[in-house]
Amino acid sequence: MITKEREDYLKAIYHLQKDESPVRTTTIAREMGVKPASVTGAIQRMAEHGFLDYQERKGVTLTEEGRRIALEVIRHHRLIELYLIEALGYSWDEVHDEAERLEHAVSPLFIERIAAALGHPTIDPHGAPIPTADGEIPPLSRDKLSEAKPGTVGTIARVNDQDPELLRYLADMDIRPGMQVTVLEVKPFGGPVHIQVNDATHAVGLQAAENIYLKASDD
Ligand SMILES: [Zn+2]
């Protein structure tokens, strides 16, 4: 049986698998803010249900079924975030926590109605791709602004959506996904990244720059 807790595990493992595969239980525990012992218990039961493969001392990988469920929850999350902004007037820093709750509760019909009402969007408000109903998802940009070289020209692909304060900081500078950006200067020793967006220049703090992802222009 799939529960809210299991959906959260599958979603977390789906994201963590991009950096580490198999994903160690200690990594999952850190990500989810729970004790490693409770992670082991939960994933053993989920392995019995066929949602993931668990190798002791190595870690877990999602099965096809586990991946399907993770992408379904991510589809819910991203569509709900967009709907809250487009239809209910939320700002982009208010929607993540709301979507964390609602993503588990909505029915397939409800989510397809939302998708249709929004014109079947492919990108969420923070620039992340929305998985299709068939579980297709384009690759995520992994190029951090903090690691960009001066002279890089591209667009802001996405920003991490989990910290409302960061999102307000970016909104104040009018930095959003889809915008053209030129990297002017990267200060050493944790200093800011200087960028140009439209006609304005900004010094973006390193901590913020680590949460902004670029798509470099093809040249
Ligand atoms: Zn979110």
Side-chain angles (χ1 to χ4, degrees), residues 9-119:
Y9 269 106
L10 295 174
K11 196 172 63 154
I13 295 162
Y14 174 84
H15 291 306
L16 292 168
Q17 266 188 181
K18 296 189 181 111
D19 293 317
E20 180 179 304
S21 185
V23 184
R24 284 164 297 175
T25 50
T26 47
T27 308
I28 300 169
R30 200 181 328 119
E31 172 73 16
M32 298 192 63
V34 294
K35 291 202 177 73
S38 47
V39 171
T40 308
I43 63 173
Q44 274 169 345
R45 285 188 296 277
M46 291 173 70
E48 284 163 20
H49 284 85
F51 299 132
L52 42 84
D53 292 316
Y54 174 47
Q55 293 171 275
E56 236 175 293
R57 282 188 294 278
K58 279 195 168 164
V60 303
T61 46
L62 295 181
T63 60
E64 199 136 308
E65 176 66 356
R67 185 176 185 276
R68 187 191 65 74
I69 295 167
L71 283 167
E72 196 178 280
V73 179
I74 292 167
R75 174 173 167 80
H76 291 182
H77 183 101
R78 293 180 178 166
L79 280 168
I80 289 165
E81 286 188 338
L82 190 59
Y83 187 77
L84 292 174
I85 289 176
E86 298 284 322
L88 302 181
Y90 280 66
S91 58
W92 78 336
D93 55 298
E94 295 175 320
V95 294
H96 177 75
D97 287 348
E98 206 79 274
E100 284 288 295
R101 285 191 288 271
L102 292 169
E103 65 188 16
H104 306 289
V106 291
S107 72
L109 175 64
F110 186 88
I111 209 69
E112 292 323 312
R113 287 285 168 88
I114 280 186
L118 293 169

